[in-house]
Amino acid sequence: MSLHSAIMKLEPTVEIYDNDVSVKLTYNGHNYYGIAFCHKEDKEFFSEKVGATIAHYRAMIKIYDDEIKRAEVAARVLWSAYKDVIYNSQEDGIPVDPTSAFIIRVFKARDLVDRYKVQRTSLRTQLREYLKNHEKCLESVRAQRKTENEDKNV
């Protein structure tokens, strides 16, 4: 199962504090938290669903951050081991096959890091779009209320 599939199947724990929402995801025994704060000017528009969605994205992004770090460490270890093999084989005079399974694993590890980064970027982009669309909706409601208040004052 891919990391993205595993994350999407996680059951979020949602907690609400005043007008702020926290989401906890547990992945590989670690807890990851995402928090969404309601701006003081938007308290009247508070929505648990919107806050939970934003916080959920942030928790998923934190999982990707940790998995990227883990995969980068694995790639560095493999690369270091490969360089040791090359160095030692040059001293011993034993030829090294550059297409060996080992070097392929090194490149697969780097590819995994790259794929995780792309997926994390995609999540960040989705979150930005979600926030942008939500803000447009709030601006529309604010404008409508302002018009209604001006009409009442006249």
Side-chain angles (χ1 to χ4, degrees):
M1 178 183 311
S2 73
L3 175 62
H4 189 73
S5 297
I7 290 173
M8 297 311 284
K9 290 182 180 180
L10 295 177
E11 192 64 37
T13 303
V14 179
E15 294 181 6
I16 301 170
Y17 307 97
D18 293 326
N19 289 329
D20 301 330
V21 180
S22 170
V23 169
K24 178 178 87 170
L25 296 175
T26 302
Y27 180 74
N28 281 348
H30 295 95
N31 293 327
Y32 298 90
Y33 295 91
I35 300 173
F37 300 99
C38 186
H39 192 274
K40 62 183 177 187
E41 294 176 6
D42 296 332
K43 297 288 186 191
E44 63 199 53
F45 301 115
F46 174 75
S47 164
E48 179 182 333
K49 183 178 179 181
V50 170
T53 300
I54 293 167
H56 191 230
Y57 271 106
R58 290 178 175 164
M60 289 188 298
I61 289 168
K62 287 180 181 180
I63 292 173
Y64 270 101
D65 289 341
D66 274 4
E67 288 300 304
I68 287 169
K69 287 176 192 171
R70 185 197 58 74
E72 284 177 334
V73 167
R76 279 195 301 275
V77 167
L78 287 170
W79 185 248
S80 177
Y82 176 74
K83 288 192 301 188
D84 288 343
V85 168
I86 295 293
Y87 175 76
N88 291 333
S89 70
Q90 289 171 351
E91 285 183 352
D92 298 342
I94 301 169
V96 175
D97 178 9
T99 60
S100 68
F102 185 79
I103 190 67
I104 291 170
R105 286 197 63 198
V106 171
F107 288 114
K108 283 185 179 179
R110 285 301 323 155
D111 182 58
L112 183 64
V113 170
D114 293 342
R115 282 187 293 144
Y116 285 172
K117 286 181 179 179
V118 167
Q119 290 170 341
R120 179 183 62 183
T121 300
S122 174
L123 282 174
R124 285 180 173 157
T125 302
Q126 290 173 20
L127 176 58
R128 269 190 231 104
E129 283 298 313
Y130 182 83
L131 291 171
K132 188 187 320 178
N133 291 335
H134 185 68
E135 184 59 31
K136 286 179 186 176
C137 177
L138 291 179
E139 287 173 5
S140 172
V141 171
R142 285 184 194 121
Q144 180 64 33
R145 286 187 177 175
K146 185 177 180 182
T147 304
E148 288 172 2
N149 287 339
E150 288 173 354
D151 290 342
K152 286 180 185 178
N153 293 333
V154 172

